[in-house]
Amino acid sequence: MSIQILGTGAYLPEKTVTNDDLAQMVETSDEWIMQRVGIRERRVSVNETTAEMAEKAARNALDAAGLEPEALDLIIAATVSSDSICPSLSARVQMMLGAHCPAFDLNSACSGFLFALDTAAAFIARGGYQHVLVIGAERLSRVLDWTDRSTCVIFGDGSGAFVVAPGEQLLASRIYTQGNDSALSISAGQNNSPFFARELAPYKVVMNGQETFKFAVRRLEEDIKLLCAQAGITPEQLDWIVPHQANTRIIDLCARRLKLPIEKFYMNIERCGNTSSASVPISFDELARSGKLKKGDLIAMSAFGGGLSSAGCIIKW
Ligand code: UT7
């Protein structure tokens, strides 16, 4: 049994932070960020929590699906910037929506939403789950080192969500992990134990950009090829690719390696930056609402990030 997407939703906080704004804070420029990353501006929360942003995306997805929160059988949320370790982000969203189903979080950094979608498909295949809410939500601005120009210019806040149900749209799905703690990490930070004698890294994003870049290019290309093989199609047959919005150069390289026109890759990185686990569902929601998707379109979603991890799927619209 496969799944279908009943509705999608997204939410971006109101405040826009431009590259010029960041150039007032660290030694950088609009020119460097546009050329090396492809971001012009990103949204940053000034008064909304991760859960509040997640709730808004979830309500938009429920509205699109024509469902009330009581209809949900399960909520899975992916995040690396939850408001609390306990309760989980998904439990907070369950409470805020007034839903009554089980809810749990899953962390696979920027690949988290597609890990969660794969998990939702597994629960649906098991039976007994009709409507599953899958969320990717991040307030990365709280985890960034705003004095580190190599990371603070890259990320943004936002949330995205899908409501999925049993159906026939999911043609392929895969998840991948290559454990590595030097390329990209966010330490859990503070240690309260008077017995633990070791220093812990501070709570902030630390990234080896080039190592992560190389992993990303390799994974994006290979995952899309493997997903196409699983679905019994060739990459040329894909109508759209919705990639993780980490760097336009990563997406350009992938398009060239796969010999696909760049126009097939949906991009909002210039406006949103990298919103980690929210990046793919926000992008997919924008594409779905743009009216550009036709019935029967083959769409690959592909993400990569901390872990190191990657994940992807192919949907027949
Ligand atoms: O979502 C999670 C997955 N993350 C990713 O996929 C990120 C992958 N990596 C990247 O996108 C790129 O590696 C970055 C955008 C992070 C960095 O671009 P890069 O072309 O790899 O730059 P670099 O790290 O090799 O640094 C080149 C130079 C350095 O200066 P020197 O040592 O050559 O003098 C950096 O200090 O660029 C400098 N630099 C900056 N200059 C102006 C780094 N950040 C900035 C900045 N503004 N914001």
Side-chain angles (χ1 to χ4, degrees):
M1 188 192 297
S2 174
I3 61 169
Q4 59 176 319
I5 299 170
L6 295 184
T8 67
Y11 177 76
L12 292 168
E14 218 173 282
K15 183 172 176 60
T16 296
V17 176
T18 65
N19 292 344
D20 290 335
D21 293 332
L22 291 177
Q24 313 273 326
M25 298 164 62
V26 288
E27 202 177 322
T28 191
S29 65
D30 180 50
E31 194 192 359
W32 191 94
I33 303 170
M34 271 308 286
Q35 275 179 8
R36 305 303 298 165
V37 203
I39 302 171
R40 175 92 55 202
E41 59 188 39
R42 69 287 294 143
R43 302 296 186 88
V44 172
S45 169
V46 288
N47 57 14
E48 286 160 307
T49 63
T50 308
E52 285 163 352
M53 291 192 286
E55 182 201 1
K56 286 180 176 148
R59 287 199 186 276
N60 288 340
L62 283 164
D63 283 351
L67 289 175
E68 295 298 325
E70 300 86 73
L72 292 173
D73 300 305
L74 180 65
I75 303 172
I76 310 173
T79 187
V80 288
S81 52
S82 188
D83 305 306
S84 51
I85 293 172
C86 171
S88 63
L89 172 61
S90 53
R92 281 185 191 272
V93 172
Q94 187 242 42
M95 175 188 74
M96 291 156 92
L97 289 175
H100 301 290
C101 58
F104 65 90
D105 285 5
L106 171 162
N107 171 358
S108 193
C110 303
S111 319
F113 180 82
L114 294 178
F115 269 73
L117 196 63
D118 189 77
T119 308
F123 269 92
I124 286 172
R126 179 175 134 182
Y129 295 86
Q130 281 300 310
H131 301 123
V132 182
L133 174 63
V134 185
I135 299 170
E138 304 286 1
R139 189 166 76 81
L140 285 166
S141 54
R142 83 181 272 236
V143 194
L144 291 174
D145 175 353
W146 288 93
T147 63
D148 174 11
R149 68 177 181 175
S150 70
T151 50
C152 76
V153 305
I154 291 170
F155 296 98
D157 297 341
S159 58
F162 288 5
V163 177
V164 298
E168 299 304 326
Q169 279 185 339
L170 187 70
L171 305 187
S173 182
R174 73 184 306 272
I175 54 177
Y176 174 88
T177 304
Q178 179 185 307
N180 170 321
D181 63 0
S182 65
L184 178 47
S185 63
I186 307 171
S187 166
Q190 192 180 321
N191 164 51
N192 290 346
S193 167
F195 306 104
F196 191 75
R198 283 173 54 184
E199 277 287 309
L200 290 176
Y203 175 58
K204 65 178 184 183
V205 173
V206 177
M207 183 170 72
N208 178 331
Q210 292 194 4
E211 192 181 349
T212 312
F213 191 101
K214 284 179 201 148
F215 173 80
V217 173
R218 208 169 45 243
R219 289 283 15 118
L220 206 49
E221 178 192 4
E222 199 171 314
D223 283 350
I224 290 172
K225 283 182 178 163
L226 290 167
L227 286 164
C228 286
Q230 206 185 104
I233 61 168
T234 61
E236 297 74 48
Q237 286 176 274
L238 290 170
D239 297 289
W240 290 97
I241 297 102
V242 179
H244 176 43
Q245 311 285 316
N247 190 318
T248 44
R249 287 188 295 134
I250 293 174
I251 299 170
D252 283 341
L253 273 169
C254 172
R256 261 187 274 152
R257 286 177 175 211
L258 290 170
K259 300 190 175 57
L260 295 178
I262 193 69
E263 294 70 31
K264 284 191 174 187
F265 288 74
Y266 185 81
M267 281 195 254
N268 61 16
I269 183 170
E270 189 171 337
R271 286 180 285 115
C272 301
N274 177 345
T275 54
S276 190
S277 71
S279 162
V280 165
I282 292 172
S283 305
F284 190 94
D285 178 64
E286 287 183 4
L287 179 60
R289 287 169 193 266
S290 70
K292 288 179 184 156
L293 291 182
K294 299 185 299 294
K295 191 170 164 44
D297 272 358
L298 294 169
I299 310 151
M301 296 180 234
S302 191
F304 48 81
L308 294 166
S309 66
S310 73
C313 67
I314 293 179
I315 293 283
K316 186 170 185 172
W317 195 240

